[in-house]
Amino acid sequence: MKALNFNKNLIIYTIFFSLLILLSNIAHALVDYTDTEEFSAPSRKVQKSAPRITKRSAPRRRSSSGGKKYFEFASVFSNAKYVAAEREGKVDRVDLNMRINTDYKFFVDLSYPMYSGKISDDQTDTSFQAGNPKMLIGLNWFQFGSSADALAIDFLGGVSFKGKSEFAAKRTDKHVGISTSKRIQQVGLTLGYNYTFTGSPDEVDASDIGNIQSLYAEIGVIVSSDILFMLRAENFTIGASDDDGRAMRLENDIKYSVIKPQMKLRMSQAVDLVMEASFRMRRPKNEELSTSLGVWDLNSAYGNTLGAGLNISI
């Protein structure tokens, strides 16, 4: 009887404890034990912002209107009334010039002249003909001071190439020169000396001449922001030929002087209107100055000139 009661009680206790375990497991299943922040204020993770990267644009290059001019183009039309040993008349001339400036201490000057007119009786073509192309290279050997009071010394060297037209010299000439300039606020002063080693002409009807020298002085005044006035005085010496065996040659030196006023009017930041004239102050003898000498490239060698043109710089 006791064994029966004991087994009955064991069964009852076993069922009772089984129910407790089951309820306990259900209660634990109702609680979420994952890492939640149910009972605390959610904490925000403060992220340190990356430093702002500011892109600096590359420095802008100064425009050609206000900065250095690297290319200068000039086209000048002039008219000359020439007087020579053979005849006298009028000649039209067009000069195409270009200067190339660099960031270094040298520059390049290129010139290409063209002429139109009748200078000999047997000449049939009076249209524009090419003269002697010239190329000069300049070296800025010394420069001191600011732009308002700069002092500079330049050396020049170059060559004039022989031509085939009626107005071109039939020889190749070599040029050297030196110039010094000083600016004092609105006024600029320049002194220069050029020497030309002339070559021997290829054709027998061209006269042989000696070397050529020129000494010049120039003053420039900035009248206003749009007007620049310049005055140049230059003395030329064409040496006599030392080729005694040549039939056509210059026997005596020829000397003459020229004064040249010039005015530039600014039409825009890149374009200037140029007006100029050239007058001979000391004239050579007409019988000595022949067109066969081939010195049309010299300033007013055969007569006074009047000209105008445009200067474009970029």
Side-chain angles (χ1 to χ4, degrees), residues 10-291:
L10 179 62
I11 293 172
I12 293 173
Y13 287 129
T14 301
I15 294 173
F16 176 76
F17 282 109
S18 297
L19 290 175
L20 287 179
I21 294 171
L22 180 62
L23 291 176
S24 174
N25 289 335
I26 293 174
H28 280 84
L30 294 178
V31 177
D32 189 5
Y33 283 97
T34 58
D35 294 332
T36 59
E37 298 173 356
E38 182 178 353
F39 301 103
S40 61
S43 60
R44 293 184 179 179
K45 295 183 179 180
V46 179
Q47 297 181 352
K48 294 182 179 180
S49 59
R52 181 177 297 178
I53 299 176
T54 303
K55 294 184 179 180
R56 295 184 179 180
S57 58
R60 294 184 178 179
R61 187 174 183 177
R62 185 178 294 180
S63 63
S64 60
S65 60
K68 182 177 180 179
K69 310 296 184 180
Y70 287 90
F71 297 95
E72 296 181 23
F73 305 92
S75 176
V76 178
F77 176 84
S78 59
N79 178 270
K81 183 178 181 180
Y82 74 92
V83 179
E86 298 85 357
R87 59 182 296 142
E88 59 182 70
K90 292 184 178 180
V91 170
D92 296 328
R93 174 172 175 169
V94 175
D95 287 288
L96 302 177
N97 303 320
M98 181 175 69
R99 166 166 286 194
I100 303 174
N101 296 310
T102 68
D103 291 328
Y104 305 96
K105 292 187 176 182
F106 72 92
F107 57 89
V108 179
D109 285 338
L110 304 173
S111 63
Y112 187 85
M114 295 184 294
Y115 305 87
S116 174
K118 192 173 182 64
I119 60 174
S120 62
D121 295 332
D122 57 350
Q123 180 181 348
T124 59
D125 187 10
T126 58
S127 60
F128 276 100
Q129 304 176 40
N132 296 97
K134 180 188 293 187
M135 181 181 68
L136 295 175
I137 298 177
L139 174 65
N140 181 221
W141 178 68
F142 175 80
Q143 186 170 0
F144 178 77
S146 63
S147 59
D149 59 350
L151 173 65
I153 299 176
D154 296 333
F155 288 102
L156 295 171
V159 61
S160 293
F161 303 96
K162 65 180 179 181
K164 299 180 179 180
S165 70
E166 297 284 343
F167 296 92
K170 309 305 187 295
R171 63 179 186 269
T172 299
D173 298 339
K174 300 177 178 62
H175 308 275
V176 293
I178 183 174
S179 67
T180 177
S181 60
K182 171 65 177 176
R183 180 172 176 179
I184 307 174
Q185 298 300 325
Q186 306 300 316
V187 179
L189 303 172
T190 303
L191 294 174
Y193 176 78
N194 295 321
Y195 194 91
T196 300
F197 299 93
T198 57
S200 299
D202 296 336
E203 300 182 5
V204 295
D205 58 347
S207 297
D208 184 71
I209 64 175
N211 297 330
I212 302 172
Q213 305 177 57
S214 69
L215 178 66
Y216 65 91
E218 184 176 271
I219 181 172
V221 180
I222 301 177
V223 181
S224 67
S225 60
D226 297 327
I227 301 176
L228 172 63
F229 177 78
M230 292 180 291
L231 182 64
R232 180 183 180 120
E234 191 166 8
N235 183 76
F236 293 89
T237 300
I238 305 173
S241 173
D242 56 0
D243 188 357
D244 297 334
R246 192 177 181 90
M248 296 187 64
R249 64 188 183 91
L250 180 63
E251 297 182 355
N252 300 310
D253 293 350
I254 296 178
K255 298 181 179 180
Y256 73 98
S257 301
V258 172
I259 186 170
K260 180 181 179 180
Q262 185 183 74
M263 184 166 60
K264 291 184 178 181
L265 302 177
R266 175 171 293 180
M267 302 179 64
S268 68
Q269 290 290 341
V271 180
D272 294 330
L273 173 65
V274 181
M275 295 180 290
E276 62 184 29
S278 184
F279 307 100
R280 293 191 297 180
M281 306 302 294
R282 179 184 177 184
R283 299 183 180 182
K285 295 179 180 180
N286 295 337
E287 59 271 15
E288 296 178 347
L289 194 60
S290 171
T291 56

